[in-house]
Amino acid sequence: MLTGEVFVQEGLISPDQLRLAEDKQRELGGNDPIARVLVNMGLVAERDRVRCLGKVWGIPFVDIVDRVPSPDALHLLSPQIAKRFKAIPLDIQDRRLLVAMANPLDVFVVDELRMSTGYEIEPMIAVEEDLLASLAAHYKVDVNVNDALAGVMKDFDGDLDLTSKEEEELSEAELREMGEDAPIIRLANLIVNQGVADKASDIHIEPRKDGVCIRYRVDGVMIEGMKLPKKVLAPLSSRFKIMANMDIAEKRAPQDNRISATINGRDFDFRVSTLPVVYGEKIVLRILDKGGINVGLSKLGFLPHNLKTIEDMAERSYGIILVTGPTGSGKSTTLYSILNKINNGENNIITIEDPVEYELNGINQCSVNNRAGMTFAAGLRAMLRQDPDIIMVGEMRDTETATIAMEAALTGHLVLSTLHTNDAPSAPTRLIDMEVEPFLISSSIIGVLAQRLVRQICSNCKESYTGTRESLLRYGFPVPEEIGADTNGEIMLFRGAGCDHCKGTGYKGRTGVHELMPLNDAIRDEVLKKSPSHIIRRLAIENDMKTLQVDAVSKILMGVTSVDEVLRVIYA
């Protein structure tokens, strides 16, 4: 049995945090294992729970996200057996088959795998959620998307004929009938499943003059997917509108709603948005993986200095922590991760968001509804009457919201929020521009975190090459003087060559680049004087703030990301 002391010995939690978890376990009736309670409280990541479990059992842990199974091993198990037993073969070594499993102690499954493959089985423990994703990626029902699409389109051509009518002439009943036709259902499912398998954040269904283009946003970059004939647009639009409970007859006005679905054993929400464009209706599905938001702060790419500082800020009992950056820079994920860390069951945590993207256990979440008068400001006022300890405001959009939030921070509440600025030192200046009183800003803000997301080099095709310190300096990178001093200016850099694992891009997954500015007395004085952001920046750097550029260079030299990627994101 996995006890809490293991996590203390591993340095993952403190004895005090273990006592808090044990108190929480008793509150819940004592039925939940302590390891599961620690995960639910956000004190321990699921990956660390499974790793410690393997250590107790004497079974090696494998991080299957970064492990590419050998094709020879994969072929030894049929998709049906692999999915039924939640097991994925990784490699063959000395007549032994290494198999990642969710439950490696199940001797009956191990025996079945031995009989099915003819190999001795060496079980390894892996995170179940990662296993399911890997199974979906490597044992697809339709292994070749193009072949699957060809089959769907063949049925589509046989069952549906739009040549007699233009799309505008179709009645609501005809559109509904087409949207519920078997081939169009298969096509819609194929589009969504492909997006989930590719770990896309968005699916774009775009009507063009000569057809319909399906594109996916993967790791922040748009990639081409399927190309479909123009005649599928009306039934495909109808299908997604039916799934999202929209008005299928309305084609001239934008609409938005949600779809909830379980795919390969994982729960997803899809935010569906339609927009009339020149050649029809464009549909975008934002993919929200409900399990993917349980990310610990340590998994977001913080360097050790910044990680300790942000964790210390999150432990404060009052004040504001602001996260800034452009749309799609991971601000919500960072805020949710902070909430998960401080959600110990002893605090009343309330959020107001537009809309609520992910549902968090033990946290009270509200959605903005402007039509009903539920604005950020009105919701924030109501929340303050609900005896909160911690408040999250999705975005500081106006003077009223910012002022109420800061007054709340001064009256004993920890407030988390986001703001749209390019860097951390610009946040106080932006709030002054919004006509927030400088004394409120200087008194309430604990710290400002600016961030961006950069793609990580694919671990499967990562290769090193020799660069020069001068070339990085020419790009404007702040390279430390000691780098390259002993090698005549030569530096080892890294890039991805491109492989099947990363679809030839050289990148797989993303990580954060951060600029964390705690407010000290000198910075507070400049805020009171309404000083420009460049003065605040200079003081912050003197106070040991690492800029976005410095943080990015550290990740280049560590081999996490590439020069080209940082130029694209940070220096664009």
Side-chain angles (χ1 to χ4, degrees), residues 221-233:
V221 178
M222 297 288 284
I223 60 170
E224 288 277 339
M226 312 168 194
K227 290 191 175 178
L228 306 172
K230 185 77 173 183
K231 64 182 178 180
V232 308
L233 181 60

Side-chain angles (χ1 to χ4, degrees), residues 258-279:
R258 298 172 84 101
I259 299 170
S260 292
T262 301
I263 299 173
N264 296 318
R266 297 171 69 186
D267 293 328
F268 290 88
D269 269 350
F270 299 89
R271 281 216 320 252
V272 186
S273 168
T274 69
L275 180 71
V277 293
V278 175
Y279 295 110

Side-chain angles (χ1 to χ4, degrees), residues 346-517:
E346 297 183 349
N347 295 314
N348 178 21
I349 304 176
I350 309 179
T351 76
I352 180 162
E353 306 166 59
D354 184 21
V356 172
E357 291 191 2
Y358 299 95
E359 296 173 10
L360 301 175
N361 289 330
I363 293 177
N364 308 287
Q365 296 172 268
C366 314
S367 278
V368 166
N369 187 337
N370 290 318
R371 288 183 182 176
M374 181 68 161
T375 61
F376 273 120
L380 189 48
R381 277 201 188 91
M383 286 158 58
L384 289 171
R385 295 191 288 271
Q386 292 283 315
D387 185 32
D389 297 298
I390 297 158
I391 296 168
M392 186 185 100
V393 183
E395 186 182 339
M396 286 193 180
R397 291 183 180 171
D398 53 61
T399 308
E400 187 180 11
T401 305
T403 301
I404 297 168
M406 290 183 183
E407 288 172 348
L410 291 177
T411 54
H413 304 88
L414 181 65
V415 180
L416 311 175
S417 191
T418 68
L419 193 67
H420 284 285
T421 65
N422 288 328
D423 56 18
S426 300
T429 311
R430 171 78 183 107
L431 290 167
I432 290 170
D433 289 343
M434 290 168 62
E435 299 182 354
V436 179
E437 292 292 341
F439 78 88
L440 280 178
I441 300 168
S442 65
S443 304
S444 61
I445 295 179
I446 305 169
V448 184
L449 172 69
Q451 66 179 55
R452 300 289 188 276
L453 290 177
V454 294
R455 289 181 293 174
Q456 296 182 98
I457 298 171
C458 173
S459 58
N460 193 51
C461 60
K462 184 176 180 178
E463 62 181 22
S464 62
Y465 68 98
T466 302
T468 63
R469 185 173 187 276
E470 287 71 22
S471 65
L472 293 184
L473 290 171
R474 277 200 299 272
Y475 284 131
F477 291 128
V479 184
E481 290 184 7
E482 64 272 15
I483 300 297
D486 300 332
T487 54
N488 295 322
E490 290 188 346
I491 304 172
M492 181 179 287
L493 301 173
F494 300 86
R495 61 192 170 201
C499 63
D500 292 339
H501 185 55
C502 61
K503 296 188 180 294
T505 62
Y507 300 98
K508 190 73 175 175
R510 288 190 290 178
T511 191
V513 174
H514 305 98
E515 178 177 280
L516 183 55
M517 182 184 79

Side-chain angles (χ1 to χ4, degrees), residues 76 95 97 111-121:
L76 292 173
R95 292 297 302 167
L97 182 63
D111 286 342
E112 284 278 352
L113 295 175
R114 185 186 297 112
M115 288 187 287
S116 296
T117 62
Y119 283 81
E120 283 299 313
I121 304 299

